[in-house]
Amino acid sequence: THHQTRGAHTLAFHPYLNFKGTCREAFTRYHEIFGGDLNIMGAGDAPGGETPPGWDADMVMHAALMIGDDLLMASDDPNMSGPPVGTYVHYEAKDVDDAKRVFEALADGGEVEMEIQETFWSPAFGSCTDRWGTLWLVGAPGEYELPS
């Protein structure tokens, strides 16, 4: 994540995913894969003790997985009618072995779009959709030059 400081506030982009009732399961697995600190607030934990209208008490209102300075967030969406479309989460692994480990874990039970392989921009890069419908790009850092 690229951070920019403006005054006392740090600006950054953080992906926010939506799930159709499977957020807790997905984020528990992501925590197993990536480590970090996981916080989950269920709809039944809402302030005032009342589950918001349209929500089941066991649905997730907010999940946050903090890994170092990086943050991945999500919630269940009670109005979601299908899988998420068009947005990938990119994970830059520390090395080729880490990229392969993470890719295999994310692809397990999902669908591989591009097997993890060497490309001109990475010694190990692949894309998949995990079993919860999240689209992933996984790569190890590499050296390449952009065309002029």
Side-chain angles (χ1 to χ4, degrees):
T1 303
H2 176 75
H3 298 278
Q4 178 181 353
T5 302
R6 183 178 293 162
H9 180 72
T10 300
L11 305 175
F13 292 103
H14 299 291
Y16 200 100
L17 306 175
N18 287 291
F19 295 87
K20 188 177 179 178
T22 59
C23 184
R24 185 179 310 274
E25 179 184 350
F27 263 62
T28 297
R29 181 64 178 137
Y30 299 161
H31 184 237
E32 291 170 357
I33 294 169
F34 299 111
D37 295 315
L38 176 61
N39 292 296
I40 295 177
M41 183 177 98
D45 301 326
E50 294 202 20
T51 302
W55 289 72
D56 293 330
D58 60 341
M59 293 179 87
V60 173
M61 284 192 71
H62 182 71
L65 180 59
M66 190 78 181
I67 306 164
D69 290 335
D70 292 318
L71 177 63
L72 183 63
M73 298 180 288
S75 67
D76 283 315
D77 180 350
N79 301 312
M80 191 172 200
S81 60
V85 177
T87 301
Y88 285 84
V89 177
H90 178 263
Y91 174 72
E92 185 169 331
K94 62 184 175 188
D95 56 34
V96 170
D97 289 339
D98 186 44
K100 289 179 179 178
R101 177 191 67 79
V102 167
F103 183 82
E104 289 170 10
L106 292 170
D108 182 33
E111 186 175 323
V112 173
E113 182 177 51
M114 177 181 163
E115 289 288 347
I116 195 153
Q117 59 190 280
E118 186 173 351
T119 64
F120 73 86
W121 66 86
S122 172
F125 179 86
S127 61
C128 66
T129 303
D130 69 22
R131 69 180 76 180
W132 302 281
T134 302
L135 306 168
W136 290 92
L137 302 173
V138 177
E143 295 184 25
Y144 67 95
E145 292 184 30
L146 294 172
S148 346

